[in-house]
Every structure is written in C-alpha cells, then in structure tokens.
Amino acid sequence: MHDFTILVLPGAYGSSVAVTLDILNAAVALAPRAKSPRPTWRVMSPDGGAVALGSGLRVDTAALPRRSRADASTWILPGLGVDDPAQLARRLASADIAPTIAAVRRHGGRGGAVAASCSAVFLLQAAGLLRQRRVTTSWWLAPELRRIEPGCVVDADRMVCADGPVTTAGAAFAQSDLMLHLLRTRFGTELADAVGRVLLIDGRQAQAPFALPSMMSNGNPLVARLTQCIESALPHPPSVAALAERFAMSQRTLARQVRAATGQGALALVQSVRLNRARMLIESSRMTVEQIAAEVGYEDATALRRLMRRAAGAAPSQFRSGRRSAGAGPAPAVRDA
C-alpha cells in the first residue's frame, strides 16, 4: 500500500512535479534520522507511459486502473500548467481529462484524501470535491474559483488550506508547502521539518506578500484601469467616491464589480496598490521606510508598518533583508524598529 499517489497530467508544471518527487526522496533519505517510516508513492497518469510536462521534461508513469478500488493513499495533483481562466476552462473540458476527473471523483467519494495546488485545484472542483470546504488556489485564480464554486470558501491569502480529506495550496511553487504539510500530517513534524531544513524551504503561511494588484483583475478592463488610476495618483490615492465618480458609476456598483473580479472590495484594492508600490520601493531603492510611507500616501511609517504586517505578515525591513539574502548585495540602512 502506498502513502501517496502522484497524479500527473500532460502539460503539468514541471517544477511542481519535480519538487513533489524531490521532497519525497529527501524524506526517504532522512526518515531513519527522524526515526520515521519511509514514505512510499507511485506516479500515475490516465494512460501511463512517459508523460510530457509543460517545461519539456518527461516523467515515467503507471496507468490509472480502469476499475476503481479502495485506496488509502493521498492523491496529489500538481498544477495543470495553465494559469489563465479561459485556458483552464478549455483544459478541464477536453476529452482526455474526463477520465481523470471521474477517477478523482470516485476516490474522493469514498472518502479518499486528495491534495492539489495552483490550477489543479480546479480539477478537484470539477470532480465536485470542494463544496462546503475552505480552500485556496493561486491568488490570481481565486475570483474565478469563487465564481464557479460559490459553495466553497476560497481563502486566497493562505498558502495551504486543509479541510477534512481535501488539502489545497496556492501557486505552482506552493507545491513545496503542500508536500511539507502532507509529510507533517502523515509522518510527523520531525520528518517534515528535517526535509524543510535540508532543502532550505522556508515556512510560508500566506500568499499575500506575493500578490500583484495588476494581476488580480484577471483581464478585467475596469480593474486594470482602476489600478492604473490609483498608481498614477500616488502619493495622493483617490478615495472610493472619487473613483466611482471618475468611472461614472455608483460606489455600490464599483464595489460589486471590483469584488467580482478580485474577491476584495474597492478600498482593499486601493490599499493593495499602495502596499505593492511600497514593497517595490523597499526592495529596489535606498529610501527609508519613512520616505517610502510618504511616497505612497501614508502620514507616517508606523501606519505603513502596521498595514504591511497585517496584509503580508512581515515588517518592511523583512522584505529588504529577504532580497539581500537572495543575493541583492549590501543593504542600505532601514529604520524599522
């Protein structure tokens, strides 16, 4: 009996598939040191054989059995290799993916555990496994998931959401966070933490620090224009009332359209644009936090620090120090006490 079944579809994110296998192999190597059983797994696809991934890599797979049977393994679905809602809808509607959706539906219907990241979360939705669940997905796909599955709670701020037998994760590289969570759940904290330390995987709880307001519109022309309007007005951001007047609609209509496209209100969009500009300045300039706060329209640095901690879970100095640790060179002095 296997602990995990990695279900790979043609065109899947090569990085998501690779990190899944690398983390499991690391867990096997570290299990004796952590006094833990070694994880076991199988790699499967609808038809078996060598499957071409989106990056040009290939992975050998066994074929999914045509007859369903009880399976105690957790089925893991790496990202599908598409990140546009229209492309995603076409991919899920294609004839070759229908047997996979049916197999996932049967496995979940028997109470089997499933886990998916990024666009693969939509495959769980197509299989009817997300209703009444709290889930996450890539933050820019969250509004689309809310639209097509109103019966679930989409918490796009979270990196990983576990709700009963369904575990979901954010964008493609959140597959590493997903795998550490699954190892921790099935094999204990010591093994998961050991793998994280050896592979230098930081513990990340939120996607919010990585969200870009310009991408949250999912091609919505109104939100794209709103974002541009807010950015161009800094350091004097327009109020929601001023935005509604400029775009010739009521504040209620504006709020409804922004929420439909982004999953957040109009005021939250204004704040997201300001905080994103602040983060860019922190990472790319030698300005102090006080100067950056003024540039994005906050009266003092305290307000900026408080909002960044609330929205991104980190103080301004952590973004600058994170950039430095990634090889950005010497850091300027930052007053962020």
Side-chain angles (χ1 to χ4, degrees):
M1 184 66 68
H2 297 91
D3 298 300
F4 303 109
T5 295
I6 304 163
L7 187 50
V8 181
L9 293 171
Y13 278 115
S15 58
S16 292
V17 176
V19 78
T20 299
L21 297 173
D22 286 344
I23 285 177
L24 288 175
N25 278 298
V28 167
L30 294 168
R33 191 182 310 173
K35 296 182 174 57
S36 168
R38 288 181 170 90
T40 61
W41 65 91
R42 56 186 177 174
V43 183
M44 309 195 82
S45 66
D47 299 319
V51 174
L53 307 179
S55 57
L57 301 175
R58 302 179 77 84
V59 62
D60 291 330
T61 68
L64 273 173
R66 296 193 179 277
R67 290 187 177 182
S68 63
R69 51 177 178 262
D71 183 355
S73 71
T74 297
W75 285 24
I76 301 170
L77 289 82
L80 300 179
V82 292
D83 55 14
D84 173 82
Q87 293 177 345
L88 184 55
R90 289 193 295 270
R91 182 75 182 98
L92 291 173
S94 59
D96 67 305
I97 210 170
T100 302
I101 294 173
V104 172
R105 181 183 296 116
R106 290 192 297 269
H107 178 68
R110 290 192 297 266
V114 294
S117 67
C118 196
S119 49
V121 176
F122 285 75
L123 194 147
L124 300 184
Q125 186 278 328
L129 301 183
L130 299 190
R131 298 187 192 99
Q132 307 305 314
R133 302 284 185 190
R134 179 176 291 274
V135 303
T136 189
T137 184
S138 303
W139 51 265
W140 63 90
L141 292 174
E144 178 66 9
L145 186 57
R146 291 188 186 98
R147 186 187 69 81
I148 66 175
E149 187 54 87
C152 72
V153 176
V154 182
D155 189 351
D157 286 341
R158 300 295 298 169
M159 194 71 73
V160 176
C161 276
D163 189 337
V166 176
T167 305
T168 53
F173 280 91
Q175 187 76 15
S176 61
D177 306 271
L178 177 67
M179 292 307 302
L180 290 182
H181 171 83
L182 295 177
L183 284 177
R184 188 172 291 110
T185 300
R186 196 143 187 161
F187 292 92
T189 298
E190 188 171 352
L191 179 58
D193 288 352
V195 171
R197 287 193 300 270
V198 168
L199 297 183
L200 302 181
I201 302 173
D202 291 334
R204 304 175 300 177
Q205 298 298 317
Q207 294 191 86
F210 308 99
L212 301 176
S214 60
M215 289 183 63
M216 294 177 68
S217 65
N218 287 323
N220 182 290
L222 172 62
V223 176
R225 289 166 59 206
L226 285 167
T227 300
Q228 184 178 20
C229 177
I230 298 164
E231 288 177 339
S232 63
L234 295 179
H236 305 291
S239 65
V240 174
L243 287 171
E245 182 178 357
R246 175 162 181 172
F247 287 86
M249 61 182 68
S250 69
Q251 293 185 51
R252 188 172 182 177
T253 299
L254 176 67
R256 184 175 66 250
Q257 293 197 28
V258 170
R259 187 169 295 279
T262 69
Q264 63 181 21
L267 182 58
L269 177 63
V270 175
Q271 294 284 44
S272 294
V273 172
R274 297 169 76 186
L275 292 175
N276 187 65
R277 171 72 68 82
R279 179 180 174 178
M280 289 176 61
L281 290 172
I282 290 166
E283 293 180 340
S284 64
S285 78
R286 300 181 64 87
M287 298 169 67
T288 66
V289 176
E290 288 78 6
Q291 290 170 328
I292 291 169
E295 279 291 314
V296 297
Y298 293 110
E299 291 185 359
D300 54 55
T302 301
L304 176 59
R305 292 186 182 103
R306 184 177 62 251
L307 287 166
M308 290 196 79
R309 286 193 182 98
R310 184 189 304 163
S317 60
Q318 290 174 269
F319 289 111
R320 187 163 280 170
S321 62
R323 179 177 180 268
R324 182 170 70 255
S325 65
V334 179
R335 294 195 299 274
D336 187 30

